[in-house]
Structures are given as C-alpha cells and as structure tokens.
Amino acid sequence: MSRKIIDNIPLHPLQYPEQGQNYVFNGCMKFLMECLGEDERYDYWFFSAVSGDCYVQVYGTNKNKWHTCFSQSKFDRALIQRVCDGIGYDFSYIDAEEWQRDKDGCKAKIISYIDKGIPVIGKGFYHTSSNSGEKVPTDEVSCIIGYENNGECFYRFPEEATDLVPFTLDDHLPYKFVFIEGKKKAPPIAEVYRKALMDAPRLMRTPPDQNGEVFFGNDAFEQWANMLETDFYRMLPRGFNDI
C-alpha cells in the first residue's frame, strides 16, 4: 500500500461554529492560504466577505436538499474568480461535466497537486453522520490532502475535526474541483474589502437557481416569510414512545 499525505499541513478544523464560522468554503480557503504560507490576514472572515457568505441570505424550498450558504449554493467559476482575484492567484476550475468526461485526467491532476504539497478544494462529497455513520450526498465542500495506491483512495478533512476522511472518486456524485495556480500581484486588502462591500447589492440580487428552488438575498427572505404561512414548517407532535 502506497499512501501520500501532504507534509506539515496545519492540523485544525476547517471551521469553528462556536466562533460563528459556519460556512466551510471560507475555512477551506484559509487552510489553503496557510499551506501556501500566505498573508495571515487571508482568514475565514476575509473570505466570508469576498465570497458573499457574510451578507447574502440563502433559502431553499426543497426539504430534501442541503443549502447552507451562498458559497455552497453558488459554488461556480464566478465565485472562485472573485475570491482568487482578491488574493492574487490564477486557478483552474473543473465543473461536474468536465469531471465526468475525464475522471482519470482529473485524478492525475489531484495527485500531482498533493505531491507538490498543495491541497485541492472540492465540492460534492458525502456527509457522514457522526451519530449513525450514514452517508448522505450533500455536496459538501472540503480540502483533499492525500491519496493512496495511485488514486484508488483519497483523503480529505471533515468540517469540524482533524480526522482524515477516506473516499473514492469512483461514484457518480457531481464533483467540482479548484486548483490554485500561479501567483500574481494581489490588490491591497483594504481595496478588496471595499470592492466586496460595493459588490454586495449585486450579489444580493442573484437570481434563483434554474430549478426555482434556491433563492438569494431579499428573495430568500421573502420565500422564507411566505413559507411561514404554509404547512412547510409544520411539525407533528411526538408521542412518548417517539422520545
């Protein structure tokens, strides 16, 4: 068995909910910056502002799907471009369709990044319940930091722990991947924050998703308020035998 884990990675959770850090993409970006030895000011809160997570409300009307935040629901090339422009890096973005067309090529690229000591950010993973151990396809975002047997198995971090999670990329989940590339001149951090603030009204007017199930900004609040007048949140009383 041949196993490779990135050396000297910072061993801490990707996010700290008790500190108000609830959106894992921002923690993944902070972790990546630590691995690259970047400016410490590129922290969770920096990426929360640039991604839009700190001010764009999200609401999903499908109870069977998982919609935690803006960066999870709108994880696309535009999001990665906005974030990477703010830190002065080029990137490669592989969407679900490209992944399905060339799985072997994508696996090889992930392996090459891990060999270089650079984590890969991915989206589409199963979430494993800490209580039941059940795997649920929630499109979770995470950092891939290891592999074994030339890609038969990969390793990633969970959201709020440091135990490595093994997984394969041989299922049919709609994975997306982000590969950080060459460094370019980064704008001043104050300018990035100012641009994020000026960009807030546009992001809060993001149209609903193509299925009309996920809403953003003012639309999200309006949909949530409308649902209060329906049976959407109705909960049946439980009997003593159900407690």
Side-chain angles (χ1 to χ4, degrees), residues 7-228:
D7 295 329
N8 301 318
I9 53 176
L11 288 176
H12 60 71
L14 296 174
Q15 61 182 26
Y16 295 87
E18 70 278 6
Q19 298 178 21
Q21 299 180 8
N22 297 311
Y23 308 141
V24 70
F25 170 73
N26 308 304
C28 286
M29 286 302 304
K30 173 184 179 292
F31 177 80
L32 179 58
M33 295 295 97
E34 290 178 292
C35 291
L36 294 173
E38 270 291 355
D39 194 317
E40 292 182 355
R41 291 177 295 175
Y42 294 148
D43 59 7
Y44 176 96
W45 305 110
F46 172 87
F47 290 109
S48 179
V50 179
S51 69
D53 277 337
C54 65
Y55 50 75
V56 181
Q57 192 171 9
V58 178
Y59 183 79
T61 57
N62 186 338
K63 290 182 179 180
N64 297 317
K65 292 188 178 180
W66 197 57
H67 304 292
T68 59
C69 60
F70 191 57
S71 63
Q72 192 270 337
S73 298
K74 291 292 289 182
F75 190 99
D76 56 15
R77 185 178 297 275
L79 166 71
I80 308 305
Q81 185 74 64
R82 188 164 66 250
V83 168
C84 286
D85 284 348
I87 57 178
Y89 274 92
D90 290 320
F91 67 95
S92 293
Y93 174 81
I94 293 179
D95 62 18
E97 292 183 359
E98 186 176 354
W99 154 247
Q100 294 292 339
R101 285 196 304 267
D102 187 16
K103 288 187 176 183
D104 289 339
C106 186
K107 286 182 183 180
K109 187 165 186 174
I110 294 172
I111 289 171
S112 72
Y113 265 65
I114 293 170
D115 288 344
K116 292 186 293 186
I118 304 175
V120 175
I121 295 178
K123 178 179 183 288
F125 303 99
Y126 284 103
H127 174 76
T128 302
S129 170
S130 58
N131 295 323
S132 65
E134 180 184 3
K135 289 185 176 181
V136 181
T138 56
D139 284 352
E140 189 167 306
V141 180
S142 188
C143 287
I144 306 172
I145 50 81
Y147 68 90
E148 66 181 40
N149 293 345
N150 295 318
E152 288 183 8
C153 175
F154 291 87
Y155 293 92
R156 67 180 181 89
F157 274 136
E159 295 182 355
E160 299 166 19
T162 56
D163 299 328
L164 299 185
V165 178
F167 66 97
T168 69
L169 287 172
D170 296 320
D171 50 45
H172 299 289
L173 295 181
Y175 290 108
K176 301 176 182 179
F177 300 100
V178 177
F179 301 88
I180 203 76
E181 293 187 347
K183 175 72 173 172
K184 56 187 180 182
K185 185 177 180 181
I189 287 182
E191 179 182 318
V192 179
Y193 275 115
R194 180 180 183 278
K195 185 177 185 304
L197 181 61
M198 298 297 291
D199 208 25
R202 179 183 68 84
L203 294 181
M204 287 191 285
R205 291 193 295 270
T206 298
D209 73 332
Q210 60 183 1
N211 296 322
E213 295 180 344
V214 188
F215 298 83
F216 307 98
N218 292 341
D219 287 343
F221 181 83
E222 183 175 352
Q223 287 293 324
W224 169 79
N226 289 339
M227 288 297 182
L228 292 177

